[in-house]
Amino acid sequence: MTLPNSFIDEYIEEAIARGDTRVQTRFPPEPNGYLHVGHAKAICLNFGMAEKYGGECNLRFDDTNPSKEEQEYVDSIMEDVRWLGFEWKNVYYASDYFDDLYECAEKLIQKGLAYVCELTAEEVRATRGTLTEPGKNSPYRDRPWEESLQMFRDMRDGKYPDGKYTLRAKIDMASPNVNMRDPVIYRILRATHHRTQDKWCIYPMYDYAHPISDTIEGVTQSLCTLEFEDHRPLYDWCLEKLDFPKPSRQIEFARLGLTRTIMSKRYLKKLVDEGLVSGWDDPRMPTLCGLRRRGYSPEALRLFVEKIGIAKSNSVVDAALLEHCARETLKSAPRMMAVLRPLKVTITNYPEGQEEFLSVPMNQDFPEQGERKVRFSRELFIERDDFMETPPPKFFRLAPGREARLKGAYIIKCEDFIKNESGEVTELLCTYDPDTRSGMPGSERKVKATLHFVDAASSVPAAVRLYDYLLIPETEDGPKDFAERMNPNSIETLESRVEAALGDAKPGERFQFLRQGYFCADKDSEPGNLVFNEIVGLKDTYAKLVKG
Ligand code: ATP
Ligand code: MG
């Protein structure tokens, strides 16, 4: 992919100019959930930068928080990164460095730069101060280092209960940066780690483990999101105090937000756990596996990352841009006919038992895709919305006495219709004009509307799922909390009829359904039990948005 130039290039080029020509990046997810499109940005950036400068990019699992991490997430993350089109040089785990991280902590203690603190989590919080007031020194801050060292070893050896003591970096309780006010760097926690099992009962904190892990691996540019900007002094502090000769450099970029969805693993997990979606790969989810199931291609996501650019200020991108990118990559999808909400049509002047097969191009714009046969006969289905009993002025489709062309077939005329007891129209009685077959001489007669249709006997039933956004729009005075913004109508499942050629659609295959949108055969779809997911509609609302 071609990443747009950005301030990150400037940093890298500066380093190269200084003689630090090697570029090594990493994508460092915590395996506590599935990846979402925000991660796609971070993945493209890390892998893209390494590619651009002939360097390497590794996958590193930041697994320092055993209570939330699982092998399932490790596996899914690998699958998603590969699906996006990237291959790492090595896979690393922060837990591979637990010994090193422990050694480093002892070193800090010996240098008088870390101490074992007996304050409870609450007391630590209460003495941290505020943005405007300095914090208070812990009474344990000046504990002799020998004593801290012994206590830290005892912590490691399981002599204290969970949460009893912490190891804190001794920096500056009056620092204007709250992150520098003696942050906790180790805590006692008995939780089985997905890789080290029960070997450890103390675990390093992220802010401490991250710079050291980066540097051990030889990462040159450590790209992370903007909320870590205030943590950079701590990142640098750790590396400086531990005398690493080639410290990694942290560079922050803007976190991606998308309208009308949730971009946080923690919240997405809540939706899954509470059954508000069918799973991590529910096609409404902004997860990579959800988007994949929905029908998004890796190309669409990479294009999206190229288009949003790399900025240094956070912004929320309109979901319409993501959809625009999906459309851009779906132009060659076969254009098929599917009647989402079927209304039966009987062509009264078409002989019973007669049939014909019309040749219809798979996609007019890609003639190399060839043609398929579409059956036409006396009984058909059209879209319910394409008929109105009493049409308003600008409705040009079927209505009593009106004509419309059926795509690739004939002009038909609505002569009459049948209603059921509740007043619903259940069937149209139409005639066709045999001289108007598409592509035949004499077929040039024009009518205002061309409708898609399927033949009743040969078409196949299919469940078609239409989607709306997960969240209702955010408004000035409306609820801000995700839980209260859940869109109750984010999915609608229709009993549709699709043309015969779609009968053996394979999971993951993408199509345009004429006049309806782009659709993808669901992973659970199979012949006889077809399921299609709407990827995106045909109308590009993004183009409109840009024009203003
Ligand atoms: P979440 O809050 O969804 O769990 P996270 O930042 O905690 O996100 P990590 O697993 O730590 O998730 O993220 C791995 C990498 O992806 C980090 O470098 C992080 O900065 C980046 N990342 C996560 N979310 C986004 C986002 N919305 N936009 C860009 N990068 C992101
Ligand atoms: Mg996280």
Side-chain angles (χ1 to χ4, degrees):
M1 68 180 296
T2 35
L3 280 178
N5 278 334
S6 69
F7 65 95
I8 300 177
D9 295 271
E10 289 170 26
Y11 285 121
I12 295 183
E13 277 153 24
E14 250 172 57
I16 292 174
R18 277 198 310 270
D20 295 330
T21 52
R22 204 175 57 81
V23 172
Q24 183 178 329
T25 56
R26 84 286 170 265
F27 173 61
E30 181 180 355
N32 62 349
Y34 284 65
L35 299 180
H36 51 62
V37 346
H39 293 111
K41 177 178 179 183
I43 294 169
C44 290
L45 269 186
N46 279 296
F47 283 93
M49 283 296 165
E51 202 174 299
K52 196 161 166 181
Y53 292 94
E56 70 178 69
C57 182
N58 299 305
L59 179 60
R60 181 176 75 243
F61 290 101
D62 258 331
D63 55 352
T64 55
N65 192 5
S67 45
K68 303 228 168 80
E69 297 157 1
E70 290 173 33
Q71 185 60 38
E72 174 194 349
Y73 302 137
V74 169
D75 296 339
S76 74
I77 288 169
M78 288 186 175
E79 183 183 355
D80 289 348
V81 172
R82 287 206 168 107
W83 175 73
L84 262 186
F86 299 103
E87 189 62 50
W88 47 88
K89 179 126 190 276
N90 301 293
V91 183
Y92 297 127
Y93 294 83
S95 55
D96 291 344
Y97 314 131
F98 280 168
D99 286 323
D100 305 272
L101 292 161
Y102 178 84
E103 291 301 320
C104 286
E106 284 209 351
K107 197 164 159 190
L108 287 178
I109 296 170
Q110 281 159 348
K111 285 182 147 196
L113 293 170
Y115 59 96
V116 170
C117 182
E118 298 179 31
L119 295 181
T120 62
E122 254 153 70
E123 288 165 336
V124 168
R125 219 171 297 128
T127 51
R128 192 157 40 210
T130 62
L131 286 178
T132 48
E133 280 168 53
K136 278 202 211 63
N137 281 356
S138 159
Y140 308 99
R141 198 171 201 262
D142 295 318
R143 188 194 287 285
W145 69 261
E146 294 87 347
E147 196 178 308
S148 276
L149 186 60
Q150 189 52 51
M151 289 178 81
F152 186 53
R153 289 178 177 168
D154 290 343
M155 280 166 65
R156 174 199 61 191
D157 295 339
K159 298 206 175 138
Y160 307 117
D162 284 8
K164 175 105 172 137
Y165 302 143
T166 55
L167 184 70
R168 295 177 71 181
K170 192 170 176 178
I171 310 180
D172 179 8
M173 289 306 291
S175 170
N177 183 339
V178 182
N179 296 302
M180 298 297 272
R181 295 182 188 168
D182 291 10
V184 170
I185 60 176
Y186 260 94
R187 68 222 157 110
I188 307 174
L189 175 70
R190 283 168 182 79
T192 301
H193 188 277
H194 74 113
R195 299 191 81 233
T196 57
Q197 307 301 330
D198 296 315
K199 178 173 175 202
W200 295 89
C201 64
I202 55 170
Y203 288 97
M205 302 303 284
Y206 178 89
D207 277 345
Y208 167 77
H210 204 82
I212 300 175
S213 307
D214 280 343
T215 301
I216 290 175
E217 287 169 11
V219 167
T220 52
Q221 283 79 19
S222 173
L223 309 179
C224 68
T225 37
L226 218 50
E227 69 273 20
F228 290 100
E229 195 170 16
D230 290 344
H231 299 234
R232 187 174 357 117
L234 178 54
Y235 185 102
D236 292 339
W237 184 91
C238 292
L239 298 178
E240 185 202 318
K241 299 302 177 196
L242 288 163
D243 306 313
F244 280 105
K246 279 247 171 232
S248 305
R249 169 164 195 185
Q250 175 177 307
I251 300 171
E252 307 87 14
F253 63 90
R255 200 177 180 83
L256 169 69
L258 255 192
T259 53
R260 304 200 51 186
T261 191
I262 301 166
M263 207 88 91
S264 148
K265 277 185 274 170
R266 195 159 54 91
Y267 278 103
L268 293 174
K269 183 167 186 323
K270 219 166 125 181
L271 297 184
V272 175
D273 291 345
E274 291 176 9
L276 293 168
V277 293
S278 66
W280 285 99
D281 69 348
D282 186 304
R284 288 168 293 178
M285 293 278 271
T287 49
L288 297 184
C289 56
L291 289 163
R292 173 161 72 233
R293 183 169 178 184
R294 176 94 172 242
Y296 274 75
S297 61
E299 292 76 22
L301 287 165
R302 292 199 303 259
L303 179 65
F304 175 65
V305 174
E306 284 172 23
K307 284 195 187 278
I308 55 178
I310 306 158
K312 223 177 169 11
S313 62
N314 284 329
S315 66
V316 177
V317 174
D318 201 297
L321 177 55
L322 180 60
E323 294 160 10
H324 168 78
C325 294
R327 277 184 212 97
E328 287 292 300
T329 52
L330 283 164
K331 294 194 162 140
S332 63
R335 297 178 185 170
M336 313 297 278
M337 293 205 272
V339 174
L340 301 194
R341 299 172 182 84
L343 173 62
K344 191 172 174 197
V345 172
T346 300
I347 311 289
T348 52
N349 60 340
Y350 197 90
E352 247 170 278
Q354 186 171 312
E355 60 175 2
E356 60 194 288
F357 290 89
L358 311 156
S359 286
V360 181
M362 296 299 280
N363 183 328
Q364 299 90 297
D365 297 335
F366 295 83
E368 67 275 18
Q369 291 184 17
E371 297 186 328
R372 66 190 189 276
K373 296 289 182 199
V374 171
R375 187 176 190 263
F376 185 86
S377 70
R378 184 180 160 89
E379 293 184 343
L380 312 169
F381 290 113
I382 65 161
E383 211 63 62
R384 188 160 281 284
D385 293 353
D386 284 338
F387 170 80
M388 285 189 93
E389 190 180 341
T390 40
K394 287 208 168 135
F395 185 89
F396 298 116
R397 291 165 273 164
L398 281 181
R402 292 248 187 111
E403 285 186 320
R405 172 173 286 285
L406 294 184
K407 178 78 187 172
Y410 299 93
I411 292 175
I412 63 168
K413 181 176 183 186
C414 176
E415 308 283 357
D416 201 0
F417 56 89
I418 300 171
K419 280 185 173 177
N420 64 13
E421 287 126 43
S422 39
E424 237 185 321
V425 176
T426 54
E427 186 178 342
L428 300 186
L429 303 174
C430 298
T431 51
Y432 86 116
D433 178 348
D435 295 332
T436 58
R437 180 164 157 175
S438 295
M440 297 304 241
S443 70
E444 296 82 11
R445 189 154 75 81
K446 290 272 179 292
V447 285
K448 282 211 163 122
T450 300
L451 313 179
H452 61 281
F453 75 100
V454 296
D455 162 68
S458 65
S459 64
V460 194
V464 173
R465 301 183 187 138
L466 304 182
Y467 296 107
D468 195 357
Y469 301 110
L470 265 183
L471 301 182
I472 58 170
E474 192 171 0
T475 53
E476 276 292 303
D477 40 7
K480 298 275 177 266
D481 191 62
F482 292 142
E484 291 164 54
R485 283 180 59 213
M486 289 302 293
N487 177 359
N489 303 313
S490 55
I491 181 169
E492 184 185 5
T493 303
L494 303 174
E495 290 176 27
S496 308
R497 305 282 308 191
V498 301
E499 66 170 280
L502 285 166
D504 56 2
K506 307 272 174 309
E509 276 189 302
R510 307 177 180 95
F511 305 95
Q512 181 184 131
F513 288 174
L514 277 185
R515 301 174 62 223
Q516 301 289 2
Y518 294 100
F519 291 79
C520 178
D522 188 69
K523 68 165 195 198
D524 293 336
S525 182
E526 54 187 15
N529 201 1
L530 295 175
V531 183
F532 291 97
N533 295 316
E534 177 189 35
I535 308 170
V536 64
L538 292 176
K539 224 183 20 228
D540 199 329
T541 52
Y542 176 71
K544 217 157 85 198
L545 216 74
V546 180
K547 276 193 214 125

